[in-house]
Amino acid sequence: MGVSTTTHGSGVAEIVVEAPPVNALTVAGWFELADALLAAGRDPEVGAVVLRAEGRGFNAGVDIKEMQSTGGHDALVGANRGCFAAFAAVYDCEVPVVAAVHGFCLGGGIGLAGNADIVVASDDAYFGLPEVDRGALGAATHLARLVPQHLMRAMVYTCRNATADELHRHGSVLDVVPRDELRAKAMEVAENIAAKNRYVIRRAKESLNGIDPVDVKRSYRFEQGFTFELNLVGAGDRARDDFMAKGAR
Protein backbone atom coordinates (compact mmCIF):
# COMPACT_ATOMS: atom_id res chain seq x y z
CA MET A 1 0.00 0.00 0.00
CA GLY A 2 1.11 3.55 -0.67
CA VAL A 3 2.08 4.73 -4.14
CA SER A 4 2.88 2.29 -6.95
CA THR A 5 3.87 2.80 -10.57
CA THR A 6 3.38 0.38 -13.46
CA THR A 7 4.74 1.29 -16.89
CA HIS A 8 2.78 -0.42 -19.64
CA GLY A 9 4.01 -1.35 -23.10
CA SER A 10 1.68 1.28 -24.55
CA GLY A 11 3.87 3.98 -23.00
CA VAL A 12 1.44 4.81 -20.20
CA ALA A 13 2.72 5.00 -16.64
CA GLU A 14 -0.08 4.10 -14.24
CA ILE A 15 0.41 5.62 -10.80
CA VAL A 16 -1.92 4.25 -8.15
CA VAL A 17 -2.47 5.63 -4.65
CA GLU A 18 -3.74 3.21 -2.02
CA ALA A 19 -3.74 4.59 1.51
CA PRO A 20 -6.74 3.23 3.43
CA PRO A 21 -9.20 4.11 4.69
CA VAL A 22 -9.76 7.28 2.61
CA ASN A 23 -6.49 8.00 0.77
CA ALA A 24 -5.66 10.87 3.11
CA LEU A 25 -1.91 11.07 2.68
CA THR A 26 0.75 11.49 5.34
CA VAL A 27 3.61 13.92 4.86
CA ALA A 28 5.78 11.09 3.54
CA GLY A 29 2.96 9.98 1.24
CA TRP A 30 2.72 13.35 -0.48
CA PHE A 31 6.46 13.39 -1.18
CA GLU A 32 6.35 9.77 -2.36
CA LEU A 33 3.62 10.70 -4.84
CA ALA A 34 5.60 13.73 -6.04
CA ASP A 35 8.67 11.57 -6.65
CA ALA A 36 6.62 8.98 -8.58
CA LEU A 37 5.09 11.61 -10.87
CA LEU A 38 8.39 13.29 -11.66
CA ALA A 39 10.13 9.95 -12.23
CA ALA A 40 7.43 8.86 -14.67
CA GLY A 41 7.77 12.09 -16.61
CA ARG A 42 11.53 11.67 -16.89
CA ASP A 43 11.23 8.14 -18.28
CA PRO A 44 11.78 8.36 -22.07
CA GLU A 45 9.55 5.30 -22.55
CA VAL A 46 6.56 7.13 -21.06
CA GLY A 47 4.23 9.24 -23.17
CA ALA A 48 1.43 9.85 -20.66
CA VAL A 49 0.54 9.20 -17.02
CA VAL A 50 -2.69 7.93 -15.47
CA LEU A 51 -3.07 8.98 -11.84
CA ARG A 52 -5.75 7.06 -9.99
CA ALA A 53 -6.54 5.54 -6.61
CA GLU A 54 -7.92 2.38 -5.09
CA GLY A 55 -10.50 2.29 -2.33
CA ARG A 56 -13.46 4.43 -1.42
CA GLY A 57 -12.38 7.62 -3.17
CA PHE A 58 -9.67 9.39 -5.11
CA ASN A 59 -8.17 11.50 -2.32
CA ALA A 60 -9.35 13.04 0.96
CA GLY A 61 -6.44 15.43 1.46
CA VAL A 62 -3.95 15.43 4.30
CA ASP A 63 -3.87 12.96 7.17
CA ILE A 64 -5.36 15.06 9.96
CA LYS A 65 -4.66 12.32 12.50
CA GLU A 66 -0.94 12.64 11.80
CA MET A 67 -1.13 16.40 12.07
CA GLN A 68 -2.94 16.36 15.42
CA SER A 69 -0.77 13.66 16.96
CA THR A 70 2.54 15.35 16.08
CA GLY A 71 3.91 17.93 18.49
CA GLY A 72 4.75 21.42 17.34
CA HIS A 73 4.25 22.47 13.76
CA ASP A 74 6.40 19.85 12.03
CA ALA A 75 3.46 17.95 10.55
CA LEU A 76 1.72 21.14 9.42
CA VAL A 77 4.85 22.43 7.71
CA GLY A 78 5.51 18.98 6.25
CA ALA A 79 1.97 18.64 4.91
CA ASN A 80 2.11 22.06 3.31
CA ARG A 81 5.45 21.32 1.68
CA GLY A 82 4.36 17.83 0.67
CA CYS A 83 1.14 19.03 -0.93
CA PHE A 84 3.04 21.78 -2.73
CA ALA A 85 5.51 19.20 -4.05
CA ALA A 86 2.83 16.74 -5.21
CA PHE A 87 0.64 19.36 -6.89
CA ALA A 88 3.67 20.86 -8.61
CA ALA A 89 4.78 17.39 -9.73
CA VAL A 90 1.47 16.84 -11.53
CA TYR A 91 1.87 20.20 -13.23
CA ASP A 92 5.59 19.78 -13.98
CA CYS A 93 5.43 16.13 -15.06
CA GLU A 94 7.05 16.16 -18.49
CA VAL A 95 4.15 14.29 -20.09
CA PRO A 96 0.38 14.83 -19.84
CA VAL A 97 -1.28 13.51 -16.68
CA VAL A 98 -4.78 12.01 -16.84
CA ALA A 99 -6.47 11.99 -13.43
CA ALA A 100 -9.07 9.24 -12.98
CA VAL A 101 -11.34 10.38 -10.16
CA HIS A 102 -13.84 8.21 -8.32
CA GLY A 103 -15.78 8.81 -5.14
CA PHE A 104 -14.55 11.79 -3.17
CA CYS A 105 -11.97 14.27 -4.42
CA LEU A 106 -11.49 16.62 -1.49
CA GLY A 107 -8.86 19.06 -0.28
CA GLY A 108 -5.55 17.78 -1.60
CA GLY A 109 -7.44 15.76 -4.19
CA ILE A 110 -8.50 19.06 -5.76
CA GLY A 111 -4.84 20.06 -6.00
CA LEU A 112 -4.04 16.85 -7.85
CA ALA A 113 -7.03 16.90 -10.21
CA GLY A 114 -6.86 20.64 -10.77
CA ASN A 115 -3.25 20.40 -11.93
CA ALA A 116 -3.87 17.39 -14.17
CA ASP A 117 -3.96 17.91 -17.91
CA ILE A 118 -7.14 15.87 -18.31
CA VAL A 119 -9.71 14.64 -15.79
CA VAL A 120 -12.04 11.69 -16.30
CA ALA A 121 -14.44 10.72 -13.54
CA SER A 122 -16.85 8.04 -12.47
CA ASP A 123 -20.50 8.92 -12.09
CA ASP A 124 -20.19 8.70 -8.29
CA ALA A 125 -17.36 11.25 -8.11
CA TYR A 126 -17.69 14.55 -6.32
CA PHE A 127 -15.27 17.42 -5.76
CA GLY A 128 -14.94 19.81 -2.83
CA LEU A 129 -12.76 21.98 -0.61
CA PRO A 130 -13.82 21.56 3.04
CA GLU A 131 -10.80 23.61 4.12
CA VAL A 132 -12.76 26.41 5.83
CA ASP A 133 -14.40 23.84 8.10
CA ARG A 134 -10.95 22.37 8.83
CA GLY A 135 -9.36 25.69 9.81
CA ALA A 136 -7.21 25.84 6.68
CA LEU A 137 -7.05 27.49 3.28
CA GLY A 138 -5.53 26.37 0.00
CA ALA A 139 -6.16 24.72 -3.38
CA ALA A 140 -8.68 27.35 -4.45
CA THR A 141 -6.01 28.00 -7.09
CA HIS A 142 -6.66 24.51 -8.43
CA LEU A 143 -10.42 24.51 -7.90
CA ALA A 144 -10.55 27.61 -10.11
CA ARG A 145 -9.19 25.42 -12.92
CA LEU A 146 -12.16 23.08 -12.51
CA VAL A 147 -15.14 25.39 -11.97
CA PRO A 148 -16.03 29.01 -12.82
CA GLN A 149 -14.90 31.78 -10.49
CA HIS A 150 -18.15 32.43 -8.65
CA LEU A 151 -18.86 28.74 -8.11
CA MET A 152 -15.30 28.33 -6.81
CA ARG A 153 -15.92 31.09 -4.26
CA ALA A 154 -19.24 29.58 -3.20
CA MET A 155 -17.60 26.17 -2.78
CA VAL A 156 -14.80 27.65 -0.65
CA TYR A 157 -17.10 29.71 1.59
CA THR A 158 -19.84 27.11 2.07
CA CYS A 159 -17.79 23.89 1.68
CA ARG A 160 -20.39 22.54 -0.75
CA ASN A 161 -19.38 19.87 -3.25
CA ALA A 162 -19.80 19.65 -7.01
CA THR A 163 -20.55 16.44 -8.85
CA ALA A 164 -18.66 14.98 -11.77
CA ASP A 165 -21.65 15.79 -13.99
CA GLU A 166 -21.46 19.46 -12.96
CA LEU A 167 -17.76 19.61 -13.84
CA HIS A 168 -18.46 17.82 -17.11
CA ARG A 169 -20.93 20.58 -17.99
CA HIS A 170 -18.25 23.16 -17.20
CA GLY A 171 -15.85 21.33 -19.51
CA SER A 172 -13.22 20.49 -16.89
CA VAL A 173 -14.08 16.77 -16.76
CA LEU A 174 -13.62 15.15 -20.15
CA ASP A 175 -15.84 12.10 -19.63
CA VAL A 176 -18.08 10.69 -16.91
CA VAL A 177 -18.43 6.91 -16.92
CA PRO A 178 -19.69 4.15 -14.62
CA ARG A 179 -17.17 3.41 -11.88
CA ASP A 180 -16.25 0.00 -13.23
CA GLU A 181 -15.30 1.60 -16.56
CA LEU A 182 -13.18 4.43 -15.13
CA ARG A 183 -9.75 2.84 -15.34
CA ALA A 184 -10.36 1.67 -18.91
CA LYS A 185 -11.50 5.14 -19.97
CA ALA A 186 -8.48 6.80 -18.37
CA MET A 187 -6.13 4.30 -20.01
CA GLU A 188 -7.84 4.82 -23.37
CA VAL A 189 -7.30 8.58 -23.19
CA ALA A 190 -3.69 8.20 -22.02
CA GLU A 191 -2.88 5.58 -24.66
CA ASN A 192 -4.17 7.91 -27.36
CA ILE A 193 -1.68 10.53 -26.15
CA ALA A 194 1.19 8.08 -25.64
CA ALA A 195 0.81 6.83 -29.23
CA LYS A 196 1.83 10.24 -30.55
CA ASN A 197 5.35 11.50 -31.09
CA ARG A 198 6.92 11.62 -27.64
CA TYR A 199 9.08 14.65 -28.33
CA VAL A 200 6.14 16.62 -29.70
CA ILE A 201 3.87 15.73 -26.78
CA ARG A 202 6.50 16.78 -24.26
CA ARG A 203 6.93 20.12 -26.00
CA ALA A 204 3.14 20.49 -26.14
CA LYS A 205 2.96 20.05 -22.35
CA GLU A 206 5.79 22.53 -21.83
CA SER A 207 4.23 25.07 -24.17
CA LEU A 208 0.79 24.88 -22.55
CA ASN A 209 2.29 25.36 -19.09
CA GLY A 210 4.18 28.34 -20.47
CA ILE A 211 1.04 30.15 -21.60
CA ASP A 212 -0.98 29.53 -18.43
CA PRO A 213 -2.55 32.81 -17.28
CA VAL A 214 -1.98 31.93 -13.59
CA ASP A 215 1.29 30.81 -12.00
CA VAL A 216 -0.29 27.93 -10.11
CA LYS A 217 2.68 27.29 -7.85
CA ARG A 218 3.07 30.90 -6.74
CA SER A 219 -0.70 31.29 -6.35
CA TYR A 220 -1.01 28.16 -4.19
CA ARG A 221 1.98 29.17 -2.07
CA PHE A 222 0.24 32.50 -1.39
CA GLU A 223 -2.84 30.62 -0.18
CA GLN A 224 -0.73 28.44 2.09
CA GLY A 225 0.46 31.51 3.97
CA PHE A 226 -3.05 32.00 5.32
CA THR A 227 -3.11 28.44 6.62
CA PHE A 228 -0.01 29.27 8.67
CA GLU A 229 -1.75 32.41 9.95
CA LEU A 230 -4.84 30.43 10.98
CA ASN A 231 -2.61 28.09 12.96
CA LEU A 232 -0.71 30.93 14.61
CA VAL A 233 -3.96 32.34 15.98
CA GLY A 234 -5.18 28.88 17.05
CA ALA A 235 -8.10 28.62 14.62
CA GLY A 236 -6.55 25.74 12.69
CA ASP A 237 -5.93 23.53 15.71
CA ARG A 238 -9.40 24.14 17.11
CA ALA A 239 -11.06 23.23 13.81
CA ARG A 240 -9.00 20.06 13.43
CA ASP A 241 -9.70 19.04 17.03
CA ASP A 242 -13.42 19.50 16.41
CA PHE A 243 -13.14 17.41 13.26
CA MET A 244 -11.35 14.61 15.10
CA ALA A 245 -13.86 14.74 17.97
CA LYS A 246 -16.63 13.96 15.51
CA GLY A 247 -14.87 10.69 14.74
CA ALA A 248 -13.99 11.55 11.12
CA ARG A 249 -11.23 9.44 9.58
Side-chain angles (χ1 to χ4, degrees):
M1 293 186 290
V3 178
S4 63
T5 302
T6 302
T7 302
H8 299 279
S10 61
V12 174
E14 184 179 12
I15 298 177
V16 181
V17 177
E18 187 173 6
V22 292
N23 289 326
L25 295 179
T26 63
V27 171
W30 287 110
F31 283 107
E32 183 182 4
L33 179 56
D35 290 343
L37 286 157
L38 294 176
R42 287 192 295 265
D43 185 343
E45 298 303 313
V46 171
V49 168
V50 166
L51 174 61
R52 66 177 188 88
E54 292 288 347
R56 291 161 50 191
F58 178 69
N59 187 276
V62 302
D63 187 336
I64 292 180
K65 289 182 179 178
E66 178 187 44
M67 194 171 296
Q68 294 308 92
S69 64
T70 304
H73 295 299
D74 287 352
L76 173 67
V77 173
N80 275 267
R81 289 190 174 276
C83 285
F84 182 89
F87 301 170
V90 177
Y91 190 80
D92 290 333
C93 182
E94 294 179 32
V95 298
V97 176
V98 179
V101 177
H102 75 281
F104 45 78
C105 179
L106 302 171
I110 294 292
L112 299 173
N115 270 329
D117 296 274
I118 297 171
V119 181
V120 295
S122 59
D123 52 16
D124 68 344
Y126 60 95
F127 302 73
L129 273 186
E131 313 307 271
V132 165
D133 285 345
R134 307 288 188 267
L137 292 169
T141 292
H142 316 299
L143 183 59
R145 296 163 68 84
L146 296 170
V147 301
Q149 183 71 208
H150 283 85
L151 179 55
M152 177 273 287
R153 287 174 178 258
M155 290 175 69
V156 169
Y157 298 149
T158 68
C159 300
R160 64 154 281 187
N161 298 322
T163 66
D165 282 332
E166 285 182 81
L167 268 62
H168 181 59
R169 292 197 295 272
H170 293 307
S172 51
V173 166
L174 180 66
D175 288 304
V176 179
V177 298
R179 184 160 173 174
D180 61 0
E181 298 176 15
L182 179 62
R183 179 182 178 273
K185 172 55 68 174
M187 291 297 292
E188 175 190 330
V189 173
E191 286 167 357
N192 182 304
I193 296 168
K196 301 184 186 301
N197 182 284
R198 301 282 168 80
Y199 185 85
V200 174
I201 283 296
R202 287 167 183 266
R203 299 294 73 76
K205 171 78 182 260
E206 185 178 6
S207 69
L208 292 177
N209 282 4
I211 63 171
D212 246 335
V214 175
D215 183 331
V216 293
K217 288 181 281 187
R218 184 173 65 182
S219 178
Y220 176 55
R221 196 61 172 156
F222 177 82
E223 289 187 80
Q224 285 186 317
F226 290 94
T227 295
F228 288 118
E229 179 180 329
L230 291 172
N231 278 272
L232 285 172
V233 302
D237 254 335
R238 288 193 296 273
R240 290 192 299 272
D241 283 342
D242 289 345
F243 179 66
M244 295 300 298
K246 293 175 183 176
R249 293 214 292 273

